[in-house]
Each structure stands twice: as C-alpha cells, then as structure tokens.
Amino acid sequence: MPLKAYGVLITRAVDTRREGAKDTPHYQIHLTDDSGTHYRAAVNVLSQERPSELLYLVDEDFGHPLTARLEGLPSGWNTLPPGPGGPNLDFVRGNLFDPAKLRTLPPDRSGPDNDLADVLDHYVRRAVADQEARLYVFGERFGPEPTVKDKVFGFLPGNGVHDIHMNQGNSPKFHGDDGVWQDGGILLHFPADGRWVGIFLAFQSQSWHTDDATGHALGNVEPGKPEPGTQPVRIVAALVNAPGPAPEAETVTLINASPTAVDLTGWRIVDRIGQSSAVTPAGPLAPGACLTVPLAGGAQLGNRGGEITLLDKSGLKVHGVSYTAEQAAREGWSVVF
C-alpha cells in the first residue's frame, strides 16, 4: 500500500545536524513554518540494503511546471491527494530530471565536499542564512506527538517528515511503501535570486520501471534493461502552442541518436495526466533520423506547462521531458529540449 500521509511541508530552515555513517544515518533539518510550528526533516543518506550508497541529483536551476502548481499552498504541512496533475513528485512519471544523471556518494567522509551530507549541507545552510528562502519538503509526515520531544532538536511536540526519497519500485522487503505520485524530495526556493534548487534521492535497489497503479517494480523488465534517459530514442522538441484556434495541431519531435534503426511500432506519447497518442507512422526510425509526431487520440499539451513521456510497446518509459508556461508562451514556436 502507498504511504499513509504523503504531502509537502513548506517551511524555512533553522538548523541542521549530521549523524555520521553508522547504523542508518540521516541528515536532519530543523524547520519552522510561518505560525511558529517546529518540524524535523529526516533525510536518508545511507540505504539499509546493498549497495548502500544513495543515488542523488541536484538541479541548481530547477525549471518545471511543478513550481507553479505549488503557488498558493500555505506554509506548514499540506496533504497531497494521489494522482497526476497536482504538485506531487513522481520520479518515473513526472519527468523531473534525467535518471541517467544520478550519481552515488558515501554518507559521511572526512574532508570537505566529498559526501552526501556535504552536498545537503551546502544548500540547506544557505537557506538557513537566507530569511526569505523556503524549503518544500516532500515525503510522509510523522507526528505530531504532543507529549514527546523531538529526539534530535528537542522541540515539543515531536513532528516532521521522513521518506524524503523515491518511494516506488522497492525491493520486496519494502513493497509496503510503494506507490505512484508519492516520491520524496526537497525543493529550495530563493526568491531574491528568482531561483529554485531541486534535490532528489533514490536507493540503488529501486527499479525505474514501475506499475502505474501499485508503484511495484515491473516483473517483465529484462535484467540490465537501460533505464529512462539512456535509450537511443529521445524527445527533442514539441510544438505546444500551435497557431490557430483550439484544438491546436500539436506535435512532438523524436530523434534516434543511435547507429541502428529502432522499431517504433506500438510506441506511445503520453501527456501530464496520462492521456496518450500513438507514435505514427509505425515502423523503423533510421539511425540519426527525426520523426515529427502529430498528437491525436486524447493527448494534449497545455500552454501552462506540462510533461511529455515516450513509452515503448511494452509500456516502459523510454524518455520524458517537461516544459514551463514561459517556454510555451510564444505561439508557433517549438520548445526545444
């Protein structure tokens, strides 16, 4: 079953605490919302399963329609209902980043800038020093516990967020945490710079091909099958804001970057809420060739930002991109990825 209390905590950072590299260490963040309520964010920096080092990615200039969907949410804890279309995180379906860019780091190592805690500290400490900065922490809430002080920072009541990492495609031991549109992560907003920073974490034991209903790893995925972002066919452009009245003639352009032909029979393009359009014409796409696909069959690319996903004939994700309202603002211009 999915997480019981998934959502996003909107707060400012007050303090941090490192726990070294023993047992199951976390990077702890002390947070407060605008009403003065205290919270703790417990961020995993080491996995219980081997390989134990976490995968991480930091996007220092995070541009995604998700940030616009967060506008208007109040400070403090916000429960998020399951499903696409809202501000939920989903590493597989939300096209937040290219999984091929994820890297591993040890949890804690002597010396500067050489472990995962150092990476987190670099950005969170900056937010602590910036009174205007806000953290958007996605995960599962714990507490409040009215009579129990927080075990790290000592505030009362104990209260906070954990599971601030990918929460699907788990090994059988952690199947109970699987779900879709419930991944954890941290977004930092620095208003003075007009900039967002995204921090995303996953376990190496997790699968990047998951069931759309349960979030469980798909059993029909071949061992060693390339992960999303490493396949030869990629989305390179989309005509989102086409000229003329609605329904507009929207298109998505693909490229085969490999030296061999790729058969696109049965492949589909999916929009941000899961509606799909067949990739036509079916058949092989020659090496180095591009194909412009007119959208039909329900898939739509909204002008206020969205996500575009390419699926193969088995329904496995091949590639995905996102675009913002600003990128889609110019009528008749293609968004290039």
Side-chain angles (χ1 to χ4, degrees):
M1 61 182 295
L3 301 183
K4 296 179 180 179
Y6 177 73
V8 58
L9 176 64
I10 304 175
T11 54
R12 65 173 305 271
V14 176
D15 196 5
T16 66
R17 188 76 53 82
R18 301 170 64 132
E19 292 184 341
K22 295 181 179 179
D23 299 323
T24 55
H26 292 76
Y27 178 83
Q28 307 283 4
I29 310 172
H30 185 183
L31 305 154
T32 59
D33 65 18
D34 290 349
S35 66
T37 302
H38 293 256
Y39 305 84
R40 174 170 54 89
V43 186
N44 291 76
V45 292
L46 186 71
S47 174
Q48 294 182 29
E49 297 187 310
R50 295 185 179 275
S52 59
E53 292 183 354
L54 263 67
L55 294 162
Y56 84 97
L57 182 144
V58 176
D59 187 339
E60 293 189 334
D61 191 13
F62 182 68
H64 191 281
L66 168 71
T67 58
R69 297 171 198 157
L70 291 168
E71 293 179 0
L73 292 182
S75 177
W77 175 255
N78 293 265
T79 299
L80 299 177
N88 305 42
L89 301 189
D90 191 301
F91 290 5
V92 176
R93 297 158 190 83
N95 300 338
L96 300 163
F97 55 86
D98 184 347
K101 296 181 179 179
L102 288 160
R103 298 292 181 265
T104 60
L105 269 179
D108 188 79
R109 178 179 288 173
S110 60
D113 302 324
N114 60 3
D115 58 49
L116 188 51
D118 286 340
V119 170
L120 294 166
D121 218 39
H122 174 81
Y123 296 98
V124 177
R125 279 291 172 185
R126 182 184 164 195
V128 171
D130 184 344
Q131 293 291 315
E132 299 300 318
R134 290 295 180 269
L135 268 68
Y136 294 70
V137 184
F138 295 81
E140 182 173 45
R141 184 170 185 177
F142 62 85
E145 300 173 290
T147 62
V148 179
K149 287 185 177 181
D150 181 76
K151 67 178 184 179
V152 176
F153 297 106
F155 55 79
L156 187 70
N159 193 27
V161 183
H162 60 171
D163 290 331
I164 307 169
H165 47 67
M166 187 175 180
N167 290 306
Q168 58 183 305
N170 285 298
S171 65
K173 181 179 179 180
F174 295 101
H175 261 186
D177 294 334
D178 281 344
V180 297
W181 298 105
Q182 58 152 39
D183 286 329
I186 301 174
L187 300 183
L188 301 94
H189 186 212
F190 299 96
D193 298 336
R195 189 155 65 99
W196 291 76
V197 174
I199 301 176
F200 307 103
L201 303 168
F203 300 117
Q204 294 186 64
S205 57
Q206 291 174 313
S207 172
W208 290 85
H209 295 294
T210 61
D211 183 86
D212 287 335
T214 65
H216 296 329
L218 292 174
N220 62 343
V221 177
E222 302 170 11
K225 186 174 180 65
E227 303 294 3
T230 64
Q231 296 274 24
V233 181
R234 301 176 68 89
I235 301 168
V236 292
L239 180 57
V240 175
N241 190 356
E248 302 161 318
E250 300 165 338
T251 63
V252 173
T253 301
L254 311 176
I255 187 172
N256 177 11
S258 78
T260 58
V262 177
D263 187 0
L264 302 185
T265 301
W267 288 36
R268 294 179 292 126
I269 291 173
V270 180
D271 65 15
R272 75 180 184 92
I273 60 172
Q275 298 181 114
S276 66
S277 173
V279 173
T280 54
L285 183 61
C290 291
L291 175 66
T292 298
V293 181
L295 293 191
Q300 296 181 338
L301 306 180
N303 294 348
R304 295 182 179 178
E307 295 88 58
I308 311 169
T309 301
L310 179 64
L311 305 179
D312 68 13
K313 65 180 181 180
S314 299
L316 301 180
K317 181 177 178 179
V318 175
H319 190 228
V321 296
S322 65
Y323 62 91
T324 64
E326 289 75 18
Q327 290 176 297
R330 292 194 295 174
E331 185 178 76
W333 285 76
S334 290
V335 178
V336 178
F337 304 105

